Amino acid sequence: MAKHAVVFAPGSIGNVGPGFDVLGLCVGGIGDTVAIELHGGADVIDEVKGWDAAQIPREVGRNSAAIAARAFLDAHGEGHARFRMVIDKGLRLSAGMGGSAASSVAGALAAARAVDRDASPIALMTAAMAGEAVVSGTHIDNIAASLLGGLTIVRTIQPIDVIKVALSGEWWIALVTPEDVRIETRAARALLPETSARADWVQQMANTAALVHALSTGNRDLVRRALDDRFAEPRRASLIPGFAEVKQAALANGALGCSISGSGPTVFALAGAFGAAQRSATAMQAAFGGLASTVHVGRVSDEGARELP
Amino acid sequence: MAKHAVVFAPGSIGNVGPGFDVLGLCVGGIGDTVAIELHGGADVIDEVKGWDAAQIPREVGRNSAAIAARAFLDAHGEGHARFRMVIDKGLRLSAGMGGSAASSVAGALAAARAVDRDASPIALMTAAMAGEAVVSGTHIDNIAASLLGGLTIVRTIQPIDVIKVALSGEWWIALVTPEDVRIETRAARALLPETSARADWVQQMANTAALVHALSTGNRDLVRRALDDRFAEPRRASLIPGFAEVKQAALANGALGCSISGSGPTVFALAGAFGAAQRSATAMQAAFGGLASTVHVGRVSDEGARELP
């Protein structure tokens, strides 16, 4: 019987352009890792390592991974279990790469594995939502993509109804995160209007439906046209110095589309091949000018969160 | 060299539940037929037959099929050509079955064939839009489905960007049209709000993306959940006496979903097999109570408008 578990949960792109609060895309090769060991003491976070570790709360009641783990245990008759936890952040804080979602997913899945539960995706997402809520409110586009991998559609949150879309073709992502730019999800949401004109939301809906279809059928030309966010991107672009130039650099270097990852400041580019993603990443970094940035190039990952050996 | 052509264009369901102004679904076995013969006189409509024939304008300047034919000829260097036309309406007027779209598509394609043009879908849709505009304004969800067949996504109208979605599995449709209920598309649109709250349109977008995915992958359970229109249906239901009972009857008899076809008054049910569609149709008719209705049961047609031998 397991008493400990180590889980890796990948980063993800929320919204994926037009799919505001609906689409999520799982990014390969980067994520958060949470290790849990059951013990006789109280819940405790032993260590937080990696990116922005100093800014991650050590209190179990304020830490996404710990809250998600506790939520899972309490909901599954394991309320008596106590854990010690180590968190290794591969994803930066408030970067728009789904870091709080990944930590929450990893915390929930590590807790499930530590108590030997083969938990359903809905049970894990429910627990992870409790973890992410402390950071960025109730939404699960990043949670769904990090847990399930691939492209996900969040149809409803209450009850949770999430669809994983099987993709065709090869899809690569370039993520560029400017240093010293932090955007809180809540603040980024406050920039968005509470209501939208009919023509505007119908356009957004059309692009989202077309984008899902394009990714599931391997239609690159359609990705080029449909990866077009007219809702959040124009309103949030000013939060990211040089965004217009960065986007232009990506599109001029082989990317099929480029937009803000989640609520930013990370900018993502989607490409149909490694070379185009790599060139886009380099050009995007250059376009940020004097602003230093970190970069990640990876495949869209069909595999989501998983236990490590 | 052809001097005459006969074209059949099928009926279609606009919106398809949540996909307001975006989705269209082609219905097999029912449609409008337009015959064109080039001649030395002026453009003339010789005859209009079929459903509601008496109410179809005979003036070429006010008739959808004739306007579309003329628009095609003028746009393709055949402005000198003159036609005589016979229209056979299989689709009722103002019923919400895409009748004006079908007539327009048939008119445009018949004109193209009569002058031996192998016209592009965009050229045909452009001409058909001119025809439909006189009846129901500028939208092409029905035109796209009638021309191309299957499920269509209208991504943009200017420029026209329409995607045909390949479907998996078997899909059947029941259409029930109450007699003596006429709804003008323009009047039905006036019932709809000009703006929508963010949570509402995001929900509509999620259902639309999920529905496209469900139909393209043959996922009946997901159709059941995603064929859920919270925008137009609740606001237009009162135009159709007994709508709630009719919908309930469809769902209780094996339909996966049921909503208003286009702007109504036709109600459509979508099913995964002929039997369920047939039973739904019978139950829906019964649920209209004293209100007489006509019914059509057919497959989703992968084939759109075509020239008849």
Side-chain angles (χ1 to χ4, degrees):
Chain A
M1 183 171 147
K3 286 287 178 77
H4 61 92
V6 185
V7 167
F8 172 82
S12 57
I13 296 168
N15 302 344
V16 199
F20 184 77
D21 274 3
V22 170
L23 299 184
L25 193 62
C26 185
V27 181
I30 191 168
D32 290 356
T33 304
V34 170
I36 276 185
E37 185 174 32
L38 301 184
H39 73 155
D43 290 348
V44 61
I45 295 170
D46 280 337
E47 193 181 359
V48 183
K49 301 188 277 195
W51 275 107
D52 299 323
Q55 294 161 66
I56 305 287
R58 263 69 175 171
E59 284 172 59
V60 290
R62 290 177 54 228
N63 179 287
S64 294
I67 293 170
R70 172 52 46 208
F72 183 87
L73 296 172
D74 288 350
H76 294 84
E78 304 279 357
H80 58 281
R82 295 287 176 272
F83 60 79
R84 49 198 303 170
M85 178 181 276
V86 174
I87 301 167
D88 190 343
K89 297 283 297 178
L91 298 164
R92 299 181 53 180
L93 193 68
S94 296
M97 296 163 73
S100 60
S103 284
S104 301
V105 166
L109 184 54
R113 290 288 185 270
V115 296
D116 255 341
R117 292 275 181 165
D118 207 10
S120 74
I122 286 180
L124 292 167
M125 287 190 274
T126 302
M129 277 177 73
E132 191 170 16
V134 296
V135 178
S136 54
T138 306
H139 58 108
I140 61 169
D141 43 355
N142 289 105
I143 287 172
S146 180
L147 178 66
L148 302 174
L151 175 71
T152 49
I153 301 173
V154 176
R155 201 188 66 80
T156 56
I157 297 182
Q158 288 179 312
I160 293 176
D161 185 1
V162 167
I163 302 106
K164 178 175 175 176
V165 176
L167 302 186
S168 295
E170 203 174 312
W171 303 105
W172 289 82
I173 290 166
L175 292 171
V176 180
T177 310
E179 299 280 333
D180 303 322
V181 181
R182 285 289 183 280
I183 299 176
E184 294 294 333
T185 302
R186 286 195 177 116
R189 288 181 88 83
L191 289 175
L192 303 176
E194 292 300 322
T195 63
S196 290
R198 192 201 295 166
D200 293 344
W201 68 256
V202 166
Q203 181 61 71
Q204 197 82 2
M205 183 165 84
N207 279 326
T208 297
L211 181 61
V212 170
H213 181 64
L215 290 168
S216 70
T217 55
N219 186 336
R220 292 183 191 181
D221 279 342
L222 185 54
V223 167
R224 220 187 287 271
R225 308 196 303 274
L227 209 164
D228 181 12
D229 171 23
R230 304 188 192 176
F231 175 64
E233 183 185 303
R235 296 178 170 98
R236 289 172 168 174
S238 63
L239 299 176
I240 303 168
F243 174 77
E245 292 76 16
V246 170
K247 177 171 179 166
Q248 182 47 40
L251 298 178
N253 282 276
L256 302 169
C258 175
S259 189
I260 302 170
S261 180
S263 52
T266 297
V267 179
F268 79 95
L270 185 63
F274 171 75
Q278 182 69 54
R279 284 194 304 278
S280 297
T282 305
M284 289 159 79
Q285 278 201 296
F288 266 123
L291 193 59
S293 60
T294 53
V295 67
H296 174 77
V297 175
R299 275 183 196 268
V300 171
S301 173
D302 189 59
E303 195 181 7
R306 64 250 187 204
E307 192 172 0
L308 301 180
Chain B
M1 185 172 149
K3 285 284 176 82
H4 61 92
V6 185
V7 166
F8 172 81
S12 57
I13 296 167
N15 302 346
V16 200
F20 184 77
D21 274 3
V22 170
L23 299 185
L25 192 63
C26 184
V27 181
I30 190 168
D32 289 357
T33 304
V34 171
I36 277 184
E37 184 175 32
L38 301 184
H39 73 154
D43 290 348
V44 62
I45 297 170
D46 281 335
E47 193 182 359
V48 183
K49 302 188 278 195
W51 277 107
D52 300 322
Q55 295 161 65
I56 305 286
R58 262 71 175 169
E59 283 172 59
V60 291
R62 290 178 54 227
N63 178 287
S64 295
I67 294 169
R70 172 51 45 209
F72 182 87
L73 296 171
D74 287 350
H76 294 83
E78 305 280 355
H80 58 282
R82 296 286 177 270
F83 60 80
R84 48 198 303 170
M85 177 180 277
V86 175
I87 301 169
D88 190 343
K89 296 283 298 178
L91 298 163
R92 300 181 53 182
L93 193 67
S94 297
M97 296 163 73
S100 60
S103 284
S104 301
V105 166
L109 183 56
R113 290 288 185 270
V115 296
D116 257 341
R117 292 276 180 164
D118 207 11
S120 73
I122 286 179
L124 292 167
M125 287 190 274
T126 302
M129 276 176 74
E132 191 170 16
V134 294
V135 179
S136 54
T138 306
H139 57 110
I140 61 168
D141 42 355
N142 289 106
I143 288 172
S146 181
L147 178 67
L148 303 174
L151 176 71
T152 49
I153 300 173
V154 176
R155 201 186 68 77
T156 56
I157 297 183
Q158 286 179 315
I160 293 175
D161 184 1
V162 167
I163 302 106
K164 178 175 175 178
V165 177
L167 302 186
S168 296
E170 204 173 312
W171 303 104
W172 288 83
I173 290 166
L175 292 170
V176 180
T177 311
E179 300 280 333
D180 304 323
V181 181
R182 284 290 184 281
I183 299 176
E184 294 294 334
T185 302
R186 286 194 177 116
R189 290 182 86 85
L191 289 174
L192 303 176
E194 292 299 322
T195 62
S196 290
R198 191 201 297 166
D200 293 343
W201 68 257
V202 167
Q203 180 63 69
Q204 197 81 3
M205 182 166 86
N207 279 326
T208 297
L211 181 62
V212 169
H213 181 65
L215 290 168
S216 70
T217 56
N219 186 336
R220 293 184 192 182
D221 279 343
L222 185 54
V223 168
R224 218 187 289 272
R225 308 196 303 274
L227 209 164
D228 182 11
D229 171 24
R230 304 187 191 178
F231 175 64
E233 182 185 304
R235 295 178 170 97
R236 290 172 168 175
S238 63
L239 300 176
I240 305 169
F243 174 76
E245 292 75 18
V246 171
K247 176 170 180 166
Q248 182 48 40
L251 298 178
N253 283 275
L256 301 169
C258 176
S259 189
I260 302 170
S261 181
S263 52
T266 297
V267 179
F268 79 95
L270 185 63
F274 170 73
Q278 183 67 56
R279 284 195 305 278
S280 297
T282 304
M284 290 159 79
Q285 279 201 297
F288 266 123
L291 194 60
S293 60
T294 53
V295 66
H296 174 76
V297 175
R299 276 183 195 268
V300 172
S301 173
D302 189 58
E303 194 181 8
R306 62 248 187 206
E307 191 171 1
L308 299 180

